[in-house]
Amino acid sequence: MATWRYYAMPSGTEAVSGCNAVARFADFGRGRNGGGGACGGRREIKADRLMLMRKWQLRPMKRSFSVRNVSSEHQQKVKDPLTQQEESPGSSHHFPPDASSIASSIQYHAEFTPLFSPEKFEPPKAFFATAQSIRDALIINWNATYDYYERMNVKQAYYLSMEFLQGRALLNAVGNLGLTGAYADALSKLGHNLEKIAAQEPDAALGNGGLGRLASCFLDSLATLNYPAWGYGLRYKYGLFKQRITKDGQEEVAEDWLEMSNPWEIVRNDVTYPIKFYGKVLTDSDGKKHWIGGEDIKAVAYDVPIPGYETKTTISLRLWSTKAPAGDFDLSVFNSGKHTQAAEALYNAEKICYVLYPGDESLEGKTLRLKQQYTLCSASLQDIIARFERRCGAKIKWEEFPEKVAVQMNDTHPTLCIPELMRILIDVKGLSWKEAWNITQRTVAYTNHTVLPEALEKWSLELMQKLLPRHVEIIEMIDEELIRTIVSEYGTADSNLLEKKLKQMRILENVELPAAFSGLLVKPKASPVAVSTDELGESEEEEEDTEQEIEPADGKSKSVKEGIQGKKKKIPEPVPEPPKLVRMANLCVVGGHAVNGVAAIHSEIVKDEVFNDFFQLWPEKFQNKTNGVTPRRWIRFCNPDLSKIITSWTGSEDWVLNTEKLSELRKFADNEDLQAQWRAAKRNNKLKVASLIKEKTGYIVSPDSMFDIQVKRIHEYKRQLLNILGIVYRYKMMKEMSASERKKKFVPRVCIFGGKAFATYVQAKRIVKFITDVGATVNHDPDIGDLLKVIFVPDYNVSVAELLIPASELSQHISTAGMEASGTSNMKFAMNGCILIGTLDGANVEIREEVGEDNFFLFGARANEIAGLRRERAEGKFVPDPRFEEVKKFVRSGVFGSSSYDELLGALEGNEGFGRADYFLVGKDFPSYIDCQAEVDVAYKDQKRWTRMSIMNTAGSYNFSSDRTIHEYARDIWNIKPVELP
């Protein structure tokens, strides 16, 4: 017999500390010997049989708690609380988990799944115990989901992404399970507050920006809509970085999110796959390839459950961690005192998953990034193939692989999926090239997220040949297939056209044509130029004249002839050969069956500019899938006050799953009662942000000011510089006015920035420094007071966004037109009743159409004008607005401190040159932006008008749910259908 002890609840919680509570939840379904006896203080329960987990099943829409009684003793009839029918103790019955049962479960984990000492039950310990209690609930549905998928052998989608920006999981999990109230009550009984306990959870440091947040929204929608799918990523130990703001600007330190472990993940020690780097390729006598030697590591799976909303479906995010076998630790070398050398293999393996996007200025950094990408692709594909084989049983039909598997590459980072799938199918599974190529093209699809050339990855061919020799062979063969297709399509009659197409479309850049096509583009040699004897004679005379004494550094005289052997003519400097590169985006387009952009305007740019040659060749491949965000996290859970209002005015909570219901708010937009409720909810959210700002920065802001927010990755094309220069102009104007004039002209504003600049992106870090310098001056200016505050919130992440977005009133999405693929934060802000100021870029275009032109502040050049404006600048035709010149002069006057801003502002000046000539058109759009901001002030003064605009933004955001996006992916690209568990 085992003895188990349970702590009683604090005083005043008799219902929890009683025997019934232990039997109902804390026991977790184990059989009990009797049930009598006093239950006060610290007590012992003896059990014949211990079940550490009972079968907890949450049925869709019913929110019931399923228990199977395994004890044959004390037989009694019970009534199912839903059906009111009597059931025997051995049958399954359902009842809602109450606060007492949940509290006992939390206590159980505090004692029996301990990560802290037993003396206290403080918030960190309470968080882990609460998360483990919730995870117990998830595991049952999680296992049931994949057991069902296995038995049904459904087609499954796999979403591969280098980033998943999950945010905190606790509130999202209990919300999706419908247990928020029960867990709040349970923690209250234990002396804690649910929100404060949830705040103990660090954000999972698995992403940085919109790419990762989109992937996480997609996982939520996939689970909610019951689509069979799985996410694959890497388990970064130190994330991107934790951002600190000092007087010198941004500083980076390692993330510590795993320091106290992650209660949501489960390590699968039985799911490991070998990953190889370097080595060489040998060919058998029968032509079969073998990749041997090199460096071998292991990828280990860590699974995180992703629960759907009001459904039993719980899917997986599988994250790979890397390690080397213990045998690679050289004990003899260690004992000889060479400790670092002894553990070198272990360190080389583990560092692959240390940091998201390690700096790639060095060769070592580039190598590490490529290792990361290959690890993600290889481990995931080995896992996918193993699952396919297992589900197939004894008879494997590889031609059916695309009918059971869909692989989505989120941007170019997982591009190596294409050659890796080919390698496994050909070298390991024995398929022919033709069979493997057909399977690969039907399986893989590619989402493009950028039009920026630097983001369309190109890898050094030399590096890839060294690190992944077999994959380069496969890529060369794919490139040859592509050349054959291009020649077949365009013929050889027009050699200029053919040369142009090959240059634009080939996967291998600056690489000679394969031997089979070596004579394809041969051009006639230039005729030799005849040289007259007079010219030769003149040259000889010049040679004689140049013979003279020179004084070298060693002091020994010698003639030019002796040192240089004379100069017959000036020899030009040799032109360096351009680097040989692998164009990953081109490989994605060639190797996949679908290519999609992520907003209507972006998808048109993809077809018309980025991949126009491919679009002409394969127009059927190209699609648009406008991004979306999950309304669960981004309204229902992060903005409960607004959620209650929406539910009240639309008549139900149906909008959480069917966002079209949000459009019903339009008919109430002028209703005074709704407007009053709307403003009250917004102010309540602003109070929370005012507290956050004081906590994070020390600044005190007024909740009666307009909250004007720009939070996103710091990048020149996103134009945080335009925003802060606009604020500087506003400040300058205020300083030139009397106090009464200022108050009359300007609406009080709190201008909030947030976002990380990549560690090696110097100009972005200069922008961060400038914003904080402006804030340090403005926020301490007694003449300005609450009329203007400039705040940079450090270490912006999902949890900070969940506070800022509900409180926002104006949000800035002001990228240079044509450069933002879509954006998703614009959708989140609109959903929460925030009015956008922005350019016609990315999803702004579609948001403006849905919310109405009168409810969007538009400015700036259009995408189709950008190229012409840059040409004008290069030709010296651009004339800057006087206000723009005034602002730059004001900045340089020293008003914001002693720092020099010449390099920052220098990027906005000149007409040509790298890092010059205002490539992102800040100066061009500045006057339009300033005028538009004046319109914002006018609109905000009319609070009835402003509130109506806010309501119309929420009502118009119905079409930007990630549920809609996932339905489109499932229908048009993956060809999968929802599978609801019985």
Side-chain angles (χ1 to χ4, degrees):
M1 286 214 180
T3 299
W4 297 87
R5 296 178 298 190
Y6 286 81
Y7 289 109
M9 297 291 148
S11 59
T13 58
E14 291 82 6
V16 181
S17 59
C19 295
N20 288 341
V22 175
R24 293 178 68 189
F25 199 102
D27 269 355
F28 267 77
R30 64 175 161 271
R32 299 177 298 281
N33 283 329
C39 294
R42 192 172 176 119
R43 59 193 174 78
E44 295 185 350
I45 297 177
K46 292 185 178 181
D48 290 319
R49 192 172 179 187
L50 175 66
M51 290 183 63
L52 294 177
M53 187 184 305
R54 82 173 42 194
K55 291 189 176 180
W56 184 0
Q57 296 175 333
L58 296 168
R59 292 184 173 179
M61 308 302 289
K62 293 182 180 178
R63 294 292 155 235
S64 58
F65 180 70
S66 173
V67 178
R68 185 173 299 277
N69 191 330
V70 298
S71 175
S72 59
E73 301 181 65
H74 306 289
Q75 301 286 320
Q76 57 181 319
K77 296 288 185 178
V78 295
K79 283 188 177 181
D80 184 287
L82 295 176
T83 65
Q84 294 300 309
Q85 295 178 349
E86 289 189 344
E87 296 184 357
S88 64
S91 63
S92 288
H93 49 275
H94 305 273
F95 57 87
D98 56 33
S100 301
S101 304
I102 290 172
S104 295
S105 168
I106 293 170
Q107 278 194 310
Y108 167 80
H109 281 290
E111 183 170 4
F112 293 104
T113 320
L115 292 168
F116 300 85
S117 57
E119 291 83 11
K120 298 176 182 178
F121 191 62
E122 294 182 335
K125 182 175 181 178
F127 160 67
F128 273 89
T130 302
Q132 287 155 346
S133 168
I134 296 164
R135 194 182 73 174
D136 287 341
L138 297 177
I139 283 174
I140 298 299
N141 288 344
W142 199 9
N143 291 341
T145 299
Y146 281 95
D147 178 63
Y148 192 63
Y149 291 172
E150 288 280 321
R151 287 188 286 111
M152 298 299 293
N153 193 14
V154 296
K155 181 173 184 179
Q156 195 163 322
Y158 299 97
Y159 198 82
L160 272 65
S161 178
M162 288 295 285
E163 294 187 44
F164 286 93
L165 199 58
Q166 292 288 94
R168 291 170 176 156
L170 194 149
L171 289 180
N172 193 73
V174 296
N176 278 0
L177 291 169
L179 296 174
T180 303
Y183 267 89
D185 292 345
L187 284 166
S188 179
K189 290 176 182 291
L190 294 169
H192 289 290
N193 172 273
L194 175 60
E195 286 191 6
K196 289 182 178 178
I197 293 304
Q200 296 294 312
E201 180 178 3
D203 277 39
L206 299 171
N208 175 40
L211 185 79
R213 187 52 239 171
L214 177 76
S216 295
C217 282
F218 278 4
L219 292 186
D220 177 88
S221 288
L222 285 163
T224 296
L225 301 173
N226 300 304
Y227 281 112
W230 218 333
Y232 279 109
L234 295 181
R235 182 178 178 266
Y236 304 106
K237 186 174 182 179
Y238 301 116
L240 183 73
F241 58 81
K242 184 176 286 188
Q243 182 191 55
R244 291 179 180 165
I245 300 299
T246 70
K247 62 181 178 60
D248 297 317
Q250 172 182 292
E251 290 184 0
E252 305 89 25
V253 296
E255 283 275 11
D256 57 359
W257 75 290
L258 287 175
E259 207 158 81
M260 289 198 294
S261 78
N262 176 9
W264 305 106
E265 68 184 12
I266 295 178
V267 59
R268 308 291 191 187
N269 288 308
D270 58 332
V271 182
T272 66
Y273 296 100
I275 309 293
K276 181 184 289 293
F277 304 110
Y278 305 109
K280 59 184 178 181
V281 180
L282 299 180
T283 306
D284 273 352
S285 56
D286 60 358
K288 189 173 182 180
K289 301 281 188 173
H290 296 275
W291 182 17
I292 63 168
E295 176 186 324
D296 294 298
I297 65 166
K298 292 199 298 184
V300 182
Y302 286 74
D303 286 354
V304 179
I306 309 294
Y309 179 78
E310 293 196 340
T311 177
K312 288 165 68 175
T313 300
T314 302
I315 64 174
S316 278
L317 169 58
R318 175 158 284 181
L319 303 170
W320 300 108
S321 185
T322 47
K323 66 179 186 179
D328 286 357
F329 179 76
D330 196 325
L331 192 58
S332 62
V333 171
F334 184 86
N335 287 331
S336 71
K338 299 175 182 177
H339 301 152
T340 302
Q341 182 182 336
E344 186 176 6
L346 277 65
Y347 170 71
N348 285 338
E350 290 170 3
K351 74 178 181 181
I352 292 171
C353 292
Y354 273 179
V355 175
L356 169 65
Y357 302 141
D360 60 355
E361 304 265 320
S362 65
L363 176 61
E364 291 79 8
K366 290 181 174 67
T367 302
L368 187 57
R369 278 213 191 186
L370 192 55
K371 280 185 170 184
Q372 287 185 331
Q373 294 187 4
Y374 179 62
T375 298
L376 170 64
C377 295
S378 181
S380 302
L381 282 170
Q382 289 183 70
D383 196 44
I384 291 165
I385 288 170
R387 188 172 302 109
F388 170 76
E389 290 178 315
R390 184 175 65 248
R391 290 180 182 179
C392 286
K395 193 171 183 181
I396 299 172
K397 296 181 179 179
W398 286 106
E399 66 274 12
E400 294 180 358
F401 188 80
E403 296 167 20
K404 296 295 181 182
V405 171
V407 174
Q408 188 70 35
M409 301 182 294
N410 192 29
D411 217 350
T412 53
H413 306 125
T415 305
L416 288 169
C417 278
I418 294 167
E420 175 66 359
L421 182 54
M422 291 290 289
R423 182 191 71 82
I424 295 172
L425 292 176
I426 295 170
D427 296 356
V428 181
K429 303 303 176 182
L431 275 66
S432 68
W433 173 273
K434 184 178 180 181
E435 290 170 327
W437 186 231
N438 178 267
I439 290 168
T440 299
Q441 285 190 303
R442 291 165 55 209
T443 300
V444 175
Y446 161 55
T447 298
N448 173 272
H449 282 280
T450 184
V451 299
L452 298 178
E454 64 268 24
L456 295 173
E457 290 184 298
K458 297 180 181 182
W459 284 103
S460 159
L461 179 61
E462 182 182 3
L463 170 61
M464 194 175 284
Q465 281 175 325
K466 185 178 179 182
L467 191 69
L468 302 169
R470 177 60 179 134
H471 296 76
V472 168
E473 290 184 350
I474 292 169
I475 291 169
E476 287 172 342
M477 292 181 72
I478 296 172
D479 187 57
E480 190 169 337
E481 289 271 349
L482 175 62
I483 293 169
R484 190 171 289 108
T485 300
I486 293 170
V487 171
S488 174
E489 179 70 20
Y490 296 103
T492 57
D494 188 339
S495 61
N496 289 329
L497 174 64
L498 182 59
E499 184 177 13
K500 178 185 174 184
K501 292 292 181 182
L502 290 171
K503 184 177 181 181
Q504 293 293 328
M505 299 174 72
R506 283 191 64 190
I507 297 162
L508 299 178
E509 183 177 352
N510 303 320
V511 175
E512 293 291 331
L513 287 169
F517 300 95
S518 58
L520 199 61
L521 298 174
V522 174
K523 293 184 177 180
K525 292 182 179 179
S527 301
V529 178
V531 180
S532 68
T533 54
D534 291 341
E535 289 172 325
L536 289 172
E538 186 179 335
S539 177
E540 288 170 359
E541 288 172 9
E542 289 175 359
E543 181 186 337
E544 290 172 1
D545 292 340
T546 59
E547 186 176 340
Q548 55 184 301
E549 296 292 315
I550 60 172
E551 189 70 22
D554 60 5
K556 296 179 181 177
S557 297
K558 59 182 176 181
S559 71
V560 173
K561 264 192 177 180
E562 290 171 8
I564 311 176
Q565 294 300 310
K567 288 186 180 178
K568 293 188 177 179
K569 56 183 175 180
K570 187 175 181 181
I571 301 173
E573 290 289 326
V575 178
E577 286 190 15
K580 296 179 179 180
L581 302 170
V582 182
R583 297 192 276 202
M584 306 302 269
N586 288 22
L587 179 54
C588 285
V589 177
V590 175
H593 65 90
V595 178
N596 71 278
V598 290
I601 186 173
H602 170 239
S603 294
E604 291 306 306
I605 292 171
V606 165
K607 291 189 291 187
D608 296 342
E609 298 176 25
V610 182
F611 297 125
N612 180 253
D613 293 295
F614 289 106
F615 175 66
Q616 292 178 33
L617 186 61
W618 299 308
E620 70 284 353
K621 281 193 180 189
F622 290 81
Q623 305 182 20
N624 175 57
K625 296 287 172 279
T626 298
N627 284 344
V629 300
T630 168
R632 270 76 61 184
R633 184 179 287 270
W634 292 112
I635 310 183
R636 178 66 181 81
F637 302 144
C638 78
N639 199 343
D641 292 342
L642 182 62
S643 296
K644 290 173 186 174
I645 294 169
I646 295 171
T647 297
S648 173
W649 286 83
T650 61
S652 72
E653 280 200 338
D654 290 353
W655 61 270
V656 181
L657 287 170
N658 179 13
T659 51
E660 288 187 2
K661 290 278 186 180
L662 293 174
S663 64
E664 295 178 10
L665 292 169
R666 286 174 174 155
K667 60 189 175 189
F668 306 117
D670 294 307
N671 185 287
E672 291 184 3
D673 290 338
L674 174 58
Q675 288 205 358
Q677 294 172 24
W678 203 270
R679 284 191 290 269
K682 184 66 73 173
R683 194 175 194 281
N684 190 37
N685 289 324
K686 290 168 71 176
L687 287 168
K688 294 177 185 177
V689 167
S691 297
L692 173 77
I693 288 171
K694 185 177 180 182
E695 176 193 340
K696 296 284 187 183
T697 70
Y699 291 126
I700 297 173
V701 301
S702 169
D704 296 319
S705 301
M706 177 202 295
F707 279 21
D708 172 354
I709 300 179
Q710 186 181 21
V711 283
K712 51 186 75 226
R713 179 166 51 93
I714 309 296
H715 198 290
E716 288 171 275
Y717 88 85
K718 293 178 183 286
R719 299 204 294 189
Q720 286 91 351
L721 186 55
L722 174 60
N723 184 354
I724 191 61
L725 288 175
I727 292 167
V728 169
Y729 177 77
R730 188 181 188 87
Y731 177 63
K732 177 178 178 293
M733 294 287 288
M734 286 180 174
K735 294 292 285 182
E736 293 169 355
M737 295 178 178
S738 67
S740 59
E741 287 175 326
R742 282 196 291 266
K743 192 171 181 182
K744 182 178 180 181
K745 182 173 178 64
F746 293 105
V747 166
R749 288 204 199 193
V750 179
C751 301
I752 302 172
F753 293 83
K756 296 179 179 180
F758 190 66
T760 57
Y761 190 174
V762 176
Q763 187 73 346
K765 295 179 79 169
R766 289 181 186 135
I767 293 169
V768 173
K769 172 74 165 63
F770 182 47
I771 292 168
T772 57
D773 286 351
V774 172
T777 298
V778 172
N779 299 343
H780 293 102
D781 191 328
D783 294 339
I784 302 303
D786 285 338
L787 265 182
L788 183 63
K789 297 291 183 187
V790 180
I791 307 295
F792 194 100
V793 179
D795 205 36
Y796 177 67
N797 57 22
V798 174
S799 296
V800 173
E802 289 171 346
L803 288 170
L804 292 181
I805 290 172
S808 61
E809 293 173 288
L810 181 75
S811 181
Q812 307 217 22
H813 303 272
I814 56 178
S815 51
T816 311
M819 300 199 75
E820 184 74 85
S822 170
T824 53
S825 64
N826 45 10
M827 300 171 184
K828 296 162 199 163
F829 280 103
M831 277 185 172
N832 283 273
C834 179
I835 298 151
L836 308 189
I837 179 171
T839 53
L840 280 181
D841 195 26
N844 284 0
V845 177
E846 291 154 88
I847 290 172
R848 182 169 177 262
E849 290 172 357
E850 294 292 351
V851 305
E853 294 180 6
D854 294 341
N855 305 306
F856 186 106
F857 293 104
L858 178 67
F859 77 95
R862 306 305 192 252
N864 62 353
E865 301 171 336
I866 301 301
L869 290 169
R870 285 177 179 148
R871 279 196 301 272
E872 286 182 12
R873 181 74 182 233
E875 293 165 3
K877 296 177 181 178
F878 172 68
V879 179
D881 187 275
R883 292 171 292 181
F884 186 60
E885 295 302 293
E886 288 173 21
V887 164
K888 290 192 293 179
K889 184 177 179 182
F890 186 60
V891 171
R892 284 180 165 132
S893 71
V895 67
F896 300 117
S898 58
S899 296
S900 171
Y901 303 109
D902 288 341
E903 290 175 311
L904 177 70
L905 298 178
L908 309 178
E909 297 170 336
N911 295 325
E912 59 184 0
F914 181 76
R916 302 274 295 173
D918 194 10
Y919 183 79
F920 300 100
L921 303 182
V922 173
K924 172 63 183 176
D925 280 351
F926 185 80
S928 174
Y929 176 69
I930 293 301
D931 293 342
C932 194
Q933 286 284 14
E935 294 174 20
V936 171
D937 277 7
V938 172
Y940 193 77
K941 288 176 181 177
D942 182 350
Q943 277 294 292
K944 185 173 181 180
R945 176 191 169 192
W946 188 271
T947 307
R948 184 184 192 281
M949 294 172 73
S950 175
I951 294 168
M952 292 298 285
N953 266 267
T954 298
S957 66
Y958 70 92
N959 206 32
F960 299 105
S961 165
S962 50
D963 294 355
R964 182 265 311 154
T965 315
I966 284 300
H967 277 312
E968 293 178 2
Y969 272 97
R971 180 193 64 210
D972 302 335
I973 297 179
W974 303 333
N975 191 27
I976 61 172
K977 300 190 183 322
V979 178
E980 191 166 354
L981 273 66

